[in-house]
Amino acid sequence: MTFNFGAEASAREENNAALIAALAEASLGEAESSWVLDVVHDAERGRWIAALGDEGIAELSYRFVGGRVVLLTTWVDPAYRKNRVATELISRVLDDIRESGKKITIICPVVGAFIDRNPAYADLIDTVHPGAGAYPEHELAEGRHDDVPRTSVRKGGGDVLTSTPRSNGPERP
């Protein structure tokens, strides 16, 4: 059996783009899907699964690293996209993580886009190890003249942290 890494990466990017576009259509108040979903924590396989009846229709995979939860990938069955399944799955997973008192590192760009649109979850991000997907790139703020995209996140105490793709983490503006 041969494995085509390029095709796998392309499929993953298309999946992420579709999920991020679907997230853009929903606000946190609309975080419920069109169906009643069960979200099941499958700790043995390192994932949360959104199930409709007996059918798993979405999942968010993770690993524990250094006492924090590293959120790796989000997948939604194509037949159930555009029904806020990813939005509900991610919000319920983040609520579970908040209850556990753990911080998160975000690799999955879908989770990063969700938190960007729902900043009430930004306090969950580990400030030392935010992850590659934690701060989605935004267009440069009007009036800025540098070529480096920056993302700002308001922390719980009102501080604004700014990160750049080339930095070693958040920096104060």
Side-chain angles (χ1 to χ4, degrees):
M1 179 173 139
T2 60
F3 188 77
N4 186 335
F5 288 103
E8 176 68 21
S10 176
R12 188 170 45 253
E13 286 178 18
E14 287 177 25
N15 177 59
N16 287 344
L19 293 176
I20 289 169
L23 285 174
E25 298 174 8
S27 68
L28 182 59
E30 301 169 337
E32 295 183 23
S33 70
S34 302
W35 305 284
V36 177
L37 295 176
D38 290 319
V39 175
V40 179
H41 185 197
D42 180 3
E44 184 176 316
R45 292 195 175 97
R47 62 187 179 169
W48 280 273
I49 301 169
L52 187 59
D54 291 339
E55 183 181 4
I57 62 170
E59 72 176 53
L60 175 53
S61 62
Y62 72 93
R63 296 291 177 263
F64 286 118
V65 176
R68 63 190 185 282
V69 182
V70 180
L71 300 173
L72 301 171
T73 61
T74 303
W75 174 85
V76 176
D77 184 315
Y80 296 96
R81 292 183 185 159
K82 303 244 182 216
N83 290 290
R84 295 187 284 255
V85 173
T87 302
E88 185 170 341
L89 173 63
I90 293 168
S91 67
R92 290 173 63 182
V93 165
L94 293 175
D95 288 341
D96 284 351
I97 292 170
R98 184 182 305 281
E99 286 181 23
S100 75
K102 296 193 180 318
K103 294 291 186 181
I104 60 173
T105 295
I106 305 170
I107 304 303
C108 178
V110 178
V111 175
F114 174 86
I115 292 176
D116 189 49
R117 289 180 180 90
N118 301 282
Y121 291 105
D123 65 310
L124 292 174
I125 299 172
D126 185 301
T127 57
V128 176
H129 304 286
Y135 305 111
E137 292 185 28
H138 292 286
E139 294 189 8
L140 292 175
E142 201 171 339
R144 292 193 61 136
H145 299 288
D146 58 8
D147 294 328
V148 181
R150 298 175 182 264
T151 303
S152 297
V153 175
R154 185 161 305 279
K155 302 299 289 179
D159 295 338
V160 176
L161 298 179
T162 303
S163 69
T164 65
R166 292 183 284 194
S167 73
N168 290 329
E171 59 186 44
R172 295 200 186 277

